[in-house]
Structures are given as C-alpha cells and as structure tokens.
Amino acid sequence: MHPMLNIAVRAARRAGDIINRSMDKLDSLDVVSKDHNDFVSAVDEAAEAAIIDTIKQAYPAHQIIAEESGSQGDSDYVWIIDPLDGTTNFLHGFPQFAVSIALKHQDKLQQAVIYDPVSQELFTGSRGAGAQLNNRRIRVSHRKELAGSLIGTGFPFRNDQDLDAYLDTFRAIAPKTAGIRRAGSAALDLAYIAAGRLDGFWEFGLKPWDIAAGVLIIEEAGGLVSDMNGGNTYFESGNIVCGNPKVFKALLQNLRPHLGR
Ligand code: IPD
Ligand code: CA
Ligand code: CA
C-alpha cells in the first residue's frame, strides 16, 4: 500500500472508532445547527481532530482542508477531509455514514479512503493502482442502460437549494430505472458506485469533502464522473453525475433537457 494511503487508512480508522464509541450515547450529544438542516456534533469535531492529528504526525508540511475546521497550511499536497459524512443519519442512529479522506497532489487526486465504521467496510483508491473494498479489487457494475439500474441521489435540504429544479431531474430519471435510493451519505453513495452496488448517481450542491475520495475510487474502479454538462467542474459547482460508463452516459443524456430551471 502507498505510504500516504496507509496514513489515510490509519486516520479513517481512528475517526471510525470515535464515531462507533459514541453510537450508544447519541441522546447526550451536543449538536449545533450550522445552517438550516446542517448539523455538526462534538463527534464530527473529535473525529476530524483525530484525522488531522494522524496526518500531521506523518506529514506536518501538507495542507489540510477539513469540513469543520477549514483550511490550514499551504502545500502541493492537500488532504480533503469529511470526518463524518451523513451526520443527520448518524444523529438518528440510521447506520449509513462514513469517514472520507482524499489526498491531492498538484491538484490531482492521488489517494482516497471511505470508511464505514458500522459495517467496517474500507473502500480505498490509489491513482493507477485500482480501487479496493477491504483490500479486494472492486469494479463498477456492467449494467448497460437505465432500465434495470439502481440509481443513487441526494435531495436538496438546505434553504438555498432549489427543490423544484431538482424534482425536474428526479421526474426525468426515476421512472426509467429499477429504483432510486437516497441513503444520506454522498461519500458512501460514491463508494457503492465503485463497488457495483449502485449503477449511477447524481446530486447538486455537494462540497469537495463529500466527493473528493469517492471520485478517485470510482475512477480507479472503471467508472466515470462529471458535472451535469459532462465537464469537470464538479468541485467548483458541487453538481455531480457518476456511474459505470454506460449508465453515466445515459444519466447525462436524460438529465440534460431538465437542467433549465
Ligand atoms: C451530507 C451528505 C448527504 C448529502 C449532503 C451532504 P454531511 O454530508 O453527504 O448525503 O446529501 O449534501 O452535506 O453534512 O452529513 O457531512
Ligand atoms: Ca459531507
Ligand atoms: Ca460531514
């Protein structure tokens, strides 16, 4: 394993342990609302601190961009961290959330980890070295069209998001598929694309830390990722489409006429 991936895995497992230990005291957790329906708990913060501590011990000069504490340092190496993706699920004891850690070098994703502390599934990706689930190689699914496909998505939930615009895309996609899932952790949704459990995914308004690790893991598993127009502005726009190559293409084609609003 690449030494930097090894550090990312160690950091993710440390964060996962913190998250797991707090699962049986959810009722006594301090929770702050950062924005409408956007929560942060002491667990998010403790998990993030553990990740940053692990990375800094190994690579003190690297830059860090983390959801809760922001950006620190300045380097060609940038770690992008979501300590707990799916906080709303976590706070309800709904077991679908994950730790997401990615490393970019000169703006190119190099290493990625998504760790589900409940199932203890560890998804990893290393540029040029493929994607793995618990150290076994994973590939995207082989489904060829939307018919029969299981598609993931995320619903708008913040005040500044346009629910009607999203519903236009939902109406265009949902009836053509075998089913749509809104599981509540974008990072795990992307990991599931890489593992072939979902065939495609789309969501608007995500943050870099929601998707950075997932993008690399999907690409290393043979999948494709773009913004809604087939371009690569997903980190800036937060709008993302991904899937196995055939379903990805079908999603883009079917979304395009409904992006007007
Ligand atoms: C959220 C999850 C969710 C997505 C939201 C994200 P958080 O992350 O990824 O699936 O729909 O847009 O903000 O806030 O739980 O880290
Ligand atoms: Ca997130
Ligand atoms: Ca988070």
Side-chain angles (χ1 to χ4, degrees), residues 67 82 85 209-210:
E67 180 179 12
D82 191 335
D85 184 65
W209 44 79
D210 298 320

Side-chain angles (χ1 to χ4, degrees), residues 19 82-87 96-100 114-117 185 187-188:
I19 294 166
D82 191 335
L84 176 47
D85 184 65
T87 296
Q96 183 77 2
F97 42 80
V99 181
S100 176
I114 296 171
Y115 179 54
D116 176 340
S185 161
L188 273 187

Side-chain angles (χ1 to χ4, degrees), residues 20-255:
N20 273 347
R21 279 201 302 273
S22 54
M23 279 297 281
D24 49 4
K25 24 183 201 230
L26 287 178
D27 288 341
S28 59
L29 259 188
D30 279 343
V31 180
V32 177
S33 175
K34 293 191 281 186
D35 197 352
H36 176 71
N37 283 345
D38 192 359
F39 304 101
V40 58
S41 74
V43 176
D44 298 304
E45 281 162 357
E48 182 164 303
I51 294 166
I52 293 175
D53 177 68
T54 306
I55 293 170
K56 280 195 153 172
Q57 277 185 33
Y59 303 109
H62 287 188
Q63 184 177 345
I64 286 170
I65 298 175
E67 180 179 12
E68 310 306 343
S69 58
S71 175
Q72 49 177 299
D74 185 20
S75 163
D76 280 353
Y77 287 96
V78 184
W79 296 82
I80 304 167
I81 302 163
D82 191 335
L84 176 47
D85 184 65
T87 296
T88 301
N89 282 348
F90 167 74
L91 293 174
H92 289 258
F94 186 101
Q96 183 77 2
F97 42 80
V99 181
S100 176
I101 302 174
L103 174 66
K104 270 187 176 179
H105 180 235
Q106 293 176 340
D107 229 28
K108 252 190 152 150
L109 289 162
Q110 297 294 340
Q111 314 295 339
V113 175
I114 296 171
Y115 179 54
D116 176 340
V118 176
S119 65
Q120 297 184 11
E121 287 189 318
L122 180 79
F123 300 87
T124 49
S126 219
R127 176 167 296 276
Q132 301 80 26
L133 164 52
N134 292 341
N135 295 320
R136 300 178 74 141
R137 195 70 183 253
I138 47 174
R139 299 285 302 169
V140 294
S141 72
H142 294 297
R143 259 175 218 91
K144 291 187 171 54
E145 50 189 18
L146 287 180
S149 284
L150 190 61
I151 304 295
T153 189
F155 305 144
F157 59 95
R158 287 190 304 265
N159 276 341
D160 61 348
Q161 288 174 298
D162 188 343
L163 183 60
D164 288 326
Y166 171 77
L167 289 175
D168 287 345
T169 65
F170 187 86
R171 274 189 212 97
I173 303 294
K176 299 191 164 138
T177 71
I180 304 280
R181 298 291 178 266
R182 194 307 183 229
S185 161
L188 273 187
D189 292 333
L190 300 193
Y192 282 17
I193 296 275
R197 295 171 180 175
L198 288 171
D199 305 298
F201 175 85
W202 88 104
E203 185 165 350
F204 297 91
L206 289 166
K207 302 289 189 203
W209 44 79
D210 298 320
I211 57 176
V215 166
L216 181 63
I217 297 174
I218 288 175
E219 289 176 347
E220 287 296 325
L224 295 175
V225 182
S226 77
D227 57 29
M228 297 290 155
N229 302 309
N232 56 8
T233 71
Y234 39 84
F235 282 125
E236 293 80 36
S237 65
N239 305 335
I240 191 168
V241 182
C242 53
N244 80 38
K246 293 253 160 54
V247 172
F248 164 81
K249 203 167 152 219
L251 270 179
L252 271 181
Q253 266 165 4
N254 283 275
L255 285 165

